[in-house]
Structure formats: structure tokens, C-alpha cells
Amino acid sequence: MHGTAAVPTTDAAPTSPESPAYGSDFLQLGAGDVPLGGKAAWLARRLRQAIADGQLTVGSRLPPTRVLAAELRVSRGVITEAYRRLAEDGHVEGRRRGGTVVVAAPPLAQVRPRATGPFRSPTPAAPDRTVTGAQNLFAGEPEADVFDTLRATDARIDFTPGLPDLTTFPRAAWLRAERAVLTDLSSENLGYGDPRGAPQLRRAVTTWLATIRGIRVEPDEVLVVAGTAQALTLLHPVLRDDGIDSVAVEDPGSLGTRQHLQNGNLATPPVPVDHSGVRVDALRATGARAALLTPAHQFPTGVVTSGERRRELLRWAQDGGLIMEDDYDAEHRYDRPPVPALRALLTDQVCYMGSVSKLLAPALRIGWVVPPPRYRAPLTDAKRFTDLGNAVLPQLVLARLMESGDLERHLHLLRRRHRRRRDAMIDALAEHLPGAVVHGAAAGLHLTVTYAPEVPDTELAAAALARGVKCQPLSWHRQIPGNPGLVLGYAATPPGTITEGVAALGEALRELS
């Protein structure tokens, strides 16, 4: 649906009694409201606000560029540029003679203005409960529900890591695939399916893994699960039955993953990460028989495990260690060649996990596990007794997207959009946090920044949230003390909003320093 950000000419779209009012009645805009500078940015912001709060509903059509330009007494290029920005953000789409149509609404919190003024709400940057609760949220050790609490906290700008650009979800391709699946679906497919997952999806996943990640497996080796979170939950009893009660984790490393392991009563000894990846000497020193790693794009530092370090890891695994490989966002790379998964190099000692949460949407709850042969049967039993298998219809639709090439085309679209947003964040950090060091820019959906240790990162994250900017302190993802920093997701945020949010971070850091 959002296959291109280009804005075709909209002049061919005629007005009609059913069309939205154009010209001076359109959103009550007038020439006197246009600022002296930044006209395109002002108009894009005003339209984005109108889409978010429902004044412009999905399916409504924007005025022709020449009509609105004449009414606002600006050049037609101003209107075209504003429309282009909205198309780039995935909110509108050009439809030739159908004009420019609203196709997706941003969350209202992302466009809420900071101050009063023409066409700006007097609402403060963040509700009082956000300001007063910020210190509490970031005080002390993070609780198990800290991500839920932060997700529910209002903010103008959300830099939560791990979120893809959900406005680009391929709705049209999904609907086509769904219609095709329902047309061809036999009655038998509506019954209880294979707890390992629909055979069609397992076949499609094997092709996807071979093409994108260099992993060659058979469909019977794949188990479809409800994301990596469920994969870890299913693994808890399987690991304990194998005599494993401790899973070493990277440090810094994902707090959420650590919480999932601890919820299964598994110890999580930390292993330091350096510029080459996890330190295998420190891994051996923990005595743990298993390690959960993100070797293709380490979370949160973005380090790619080096060739020498990979060889050390494989030797550790061949000595009896189990590598749990979380390939959470390896498809999203920009400035480096693909790195093969560890599972492509070693079969018996690697349990590979992936999902479409960072590629399509977390709401789909579809992922896969490729376990070592000895874990295949117990994991299948665990899945069977947990839920009898994932819902079949979404699996069949996803399989159709994979087989048709639509999923790979969507990935290429995301790479272009995410690269532009990454570049916008890097530029903004250079301007507003000039002393900060940026980590992990070559791939993924987030950046990590570290800075001089005078200001604790929890205090900086709290001050940022009080300004309406949501992010995660790096210390949340540490068990071993280290330099303070922030983990900043950029994929779900338009470039202009990224710049505004990073500017607020810079203001907060200067005030606290």
C-alpha cells in the first residue's frame, strides 16, 4: 500500500459534493496563518496533527496542490513538499487521478505540539502524570513490568527501541494474500493443525532462512511459535530437563530477554561485550552451559561478532555449550554486507530464534525456532500442551507473502525508510549531543549513545520523558556497571520528529550537567 513515497500530481482529482471542503475551508487554514519561514514544515505538521486527531480520516483526500497553494498564497512547491513529507512518513499516498489520499494515522502523542500558538493545542508537552511519574519509573532497579509501564506513559515522541515503522505494514499485500488463502482453503485447514505450525509456513520459512540468513534446514526442523518470547518460555523446562539451570547473557544485553529467562528460574550470569562481540574467555569463566546471544547485531551496542570471535564461540559450543541465537533484527542492515547466522555454521549446538515482529508487526505474534535435533521433540510437546499451535490463517497468509516475494519487497522498502531515519538521528545527535558516541549505526532499528559519566542515564531518561520524549537508559540493560547512555529507536519516527526529540535530549542533558 505504501510502496512509494512519491506524491503524484493531485490536480486531476476533481471536487465533488462528497469531497472534503477545499481552499479556505480546508481545516480552517488561511493565508494569514502561514509563517514567514518553514512553510512546508508548518503545513506538514498541521496536516499530520489533523490526521492524528481525526479531522482528516483515513480515506479522505487532500486538496489539489495548485488549489491549496493559491488559497494560502504560497508557491505550489511548498504544498508539494508538505505532501511529500507526509507520503515519506506513510500517512498519505498518491493515487494518480484519485488525488492524494490519507492512508494511515500517526499516534496522536507523536504529533502533539509543545506550546500554544496558531493551530497548536495548549496541552503541555506531556501530561502531569508523566512529569511527576518520570522519576519513579526510572528510580532503582527496573521491575518486571517496567516496559508495560513505559509503553503506557504518554509522550510526544517515542524512541522506544525495537519498533519498526508500523505505518508501512503492507495492508494491500496482506489482504491480497488473505483473499487468495481463503479462496483456496480446504475445510480440513480449519481444524486443529500441526502444533509445529502450518506446513506451508514452515516450508516458506526454510526458503526465507536460506535466502536471507544462509541457514539450510528442512521444514520438519522448524517450529512456529508466538514470537521469541514464547520460544524462551517453551525452552525453560527443556533446558532444565537437560541439566541447564544457568544461561549466560551479554552485558550490556536485553533487559526483556533477561527477565524472560529469570521468569523460568534460570540464572543469567553476565558476559561482557567488547568491539568484537561477547568475550568467550569470560563466557567460559561463568561455567554456564548455555548462552543467549545476538551475534548478527548485538543488542544494544550494535556490535557484529567478528570472525575470530565466532570461531571461539563455535569451539566453546563444540565443547558442550549451547548457543541460543536471537536473530531479532538481522534483516535490517544498511552499510555492511550480510553476516551469516551461527546456525548456518553449527547445527547440533545452536538453537536459532527469529520472528516477523521487527519486519512486519509485533501484533502478528509469529516467529520460529530451529532447535538442535535433541530439543526438537520436547519443544514440540511443550508447544502442543501450551496452545496446540499458532492460529493457522495468519500463518498461511504469511507463507503466501513469503512465496510471492511481497515480504522481500517490503523488506527493501523498510531498509530505505529506516536508513533515512537513522541518518536523521545521527545528524541530530551530532548537532545536539556533540560529545556523545554513537554505537551500532550499520544495521538494526536503534542506536545506542554513550556520554561522559557526570549524569546518570536514568536521570537523563526521566528528564527526557518530562519533556515528552520516551527512551530507555542503557543501564537498564546492564548488570555490570559501565558508562551511561541511551538506547534510541528511530525506525517508527519520522525524520523531522527525530530531530525535535534529539534536540529535547540535548536540552535535558545540558540542564542536568
Side-chain angles (χ1 to χ4, degrees):
M1 185 175 221
H2 311 307
T4 174
V7 182
T9 302
T10 59
D11 294 353
T15 59
S16 70
E18 293 78 21
S19 300
Y22 286 162
S24 58
D25 290 333
F26 179 70
L27 300 180
Q28 301 302 300
L29 294 175
D33 303 312
V34 180
L36 294 177
K39 296 180 176 66
W42 165 80
L43 180 59
R45 185 169 57 247
R46 180 66 185 90
L47 294 174
R48 195 178 291 114
Q49 177 77 39
I51 296 170
D53 64 20
Q55 287 179 274
L56 288 174
T57 59
V58 171
S60 60
R61 188 155 44 82
L62 301 185
T65 55
R66 59 179 175 78
V67 173
L68 194 55
E71 290 289 344
L72 296 181
R73 299 175 191 169
V74 298
S75 72
R76 191 174 172 188
V78 168
I79 312 301
T80 300
E81 172 62 16
Y83 286 10
R84 188 198 65 79
R85 295 186 185 193
L86 293 176
E88 173 71 20
D89 295 345
H91 304 320
V92 303
E93 182 179 86
R95 294 182 176 173
R96 297 183 178 86
R97 295 188 63 81
T100 300
V101 178
V102 176
V103 294
L108 182 59
Q110 288 188 2
V111 296
R112 183 179 294 136
R114 288 189 294 176
T116 58
F119 297 100
R120 289 191 171 189
S121 163
T123 307
D128 289 343
R129 69 182 181 88
T130 297
V131 177
T132 58
Q135 295 291 345
N136 293 333
L137 178 63
F138 293 105
E141 291 297 315
E143 301 293 334
D145 65 346
V146 67
F147 295 120
D148 294 334
T149 303
L150 186 59
R151 190 179 300 115
T153 303
D154 293 323
R156 288 184 299 114
I157 299 169
D158 190 350
F159 287 155
T160 299
L163 284 178
D165 183 359
L166 298 178
T167 65
T168 65
F169 184 85
R171 298 169 188 249
W174 186 273
L175 284 172
R176 283 196 306 271
E178 192 168 57
R179 291 190 193 100
V181 165
L182 290 173
T183 299
D184 299 338
L185 193 67
S186 67
S187 299
E188 290 75 15
N189 284 128
L190 294 174
Y192 290 103
D194 189 326
R196 297 174 299 173
Q200 297 93 321
L201 179 57
R202 287 188 282 122
R203 285 196 300 269
V205 167
T206 61
T207 301
W208 179 264
L209 292 179
T211 304
I212 303 296
R213 302 298 299 124
I215 300 173
R216 299 192 179 279
V217 293
E218 297 298 324
D220 286 347
E221 299 177 66
V222 175
L223 176 67
V224 177
V225 293
T228 302
Q230 187 184 47
L232 292 174
T233 300
L234 296 176
L235 278 163
H236 294 161
V238 175
L239 293 174
R240 287 196 300 271
D241 288 347
D242 196 27
I244 295 174
D245 58 7
S246 177
V247 177
V249 296
E250 300 161 324
D251 196 281
S254 168
L255 170 62
T257 297
R258 192 165 81 238
Q259 289 175 338
H260 274 288
L261 294 171
Q262 292 169 347
N263 186 57
N265 295 317
L266 295 166
T268 57
V271 182
V273 171
D274 62 20
H275 64 279
S276 295
V278 68
R279 283 180 43 196
V280 182
D281 60 333
L283 172 58
R284 289 185 183 275
T286 67
R289 288 180 49 209
L292 196 151
L293 308 175
T294 53
H297 183 244
Q298 199 275 333
F299 183 90
T301 67
V303 168
V304 178
T305 302
S306 69
E308 176 59 32
R309 198 62 59 83
R310 282 169 168 257
R311 289 187 286 274
E312 292 179 34
L313 276 172
L314 295 180
R315 287 194 290 270
W316 173 82
Q318 289 165 342
D319 290 340
L322 172 70
I323 296 175
M324 300 163 62
E325 183 175 15
D326 182 2
D327 212 25
Y328 70 103
D329 71 352
E331 301 96 345
H332 300 281
R333 54 180 176 77
Y334 316 115
D335 302 328
R336 62 167 172 79
V339 179
L342 291 179
R343 182 58 174 72
L345 307 174
L346 188 65
T347 299
D348 293 345
Q349 296 300 120
V350 177
C351 183
Y352 176 89
M353 297 172 287
S355 79
V356 295
S357 294
K358 310 295 188 292
L359 183 56
L360 285 173
L364 291 177
R365 309 311 307 140
I366 299 179
W368 43 82
V369 182
V370 182
R374 68 184 184 277
Y375 287 171
R376 202 173 299 152
L379 274 175
T380 300
D381 288 341
K383 179 64 175 173
R384 176 185 292 110
F385 293 121
T386 296
D387 56 18
L388 296 179
N390 281 33
V392 173
L393 285 176
Q395 292 184 65
L396 298 178
V397 175
L398 177 57
R400 184 67 67 108
L401 285 180
M402 288 178 161
E403 293 164 352
S404 67
D406 281 333
L407 188 61
E408 190 164 1
R409 283 188 285 274
H410 178 66
L411 171 59
H412 291 311
L413 166 68
L414 285 181
R415 282 177 180 165
R416 292 194 298 271
R417 293 171 66 85
H418 290 167
R419 182 186 290 113
R420 286 191 287 269
R421 295 177 180 201
R422 178 207 61 175
D423 292 347
M425 179 166 278
I426 290 174
D427 291 345
L429 288 168
E431 179 179 356
H432 299 289
L433 281 84
V437 179
V438 177
H439 307 265
L445 307 178
H446 73 275
L447 298 174
T448 294
V449 295
T450 53
Y451 56 90
E454 288 84 1
V455 178
D457 53 19
T458 50
E459 291 186 16
L460 179 55
L465 188 58
R467 286 168 168 77
V469 179
K470 193 184 301 187
C471 60
Q472 292 181 8
L474 179 59
S475 60
W476 274 8
H477 302 284
R478 290 189 187 277
Q479 297 183 76
I480 303 170
N483 284 341
L486 298 176
V487 187
L488 305 172
Y490 54 77
T493 309
T497 308
I498 286 173
T499 301
E500 183 181 355
V502 172
L505 294 178
E507 293 171 3
L509 183 57
R510 286 190 293 275
E511 183 175 297
L512 292 171
S513 298

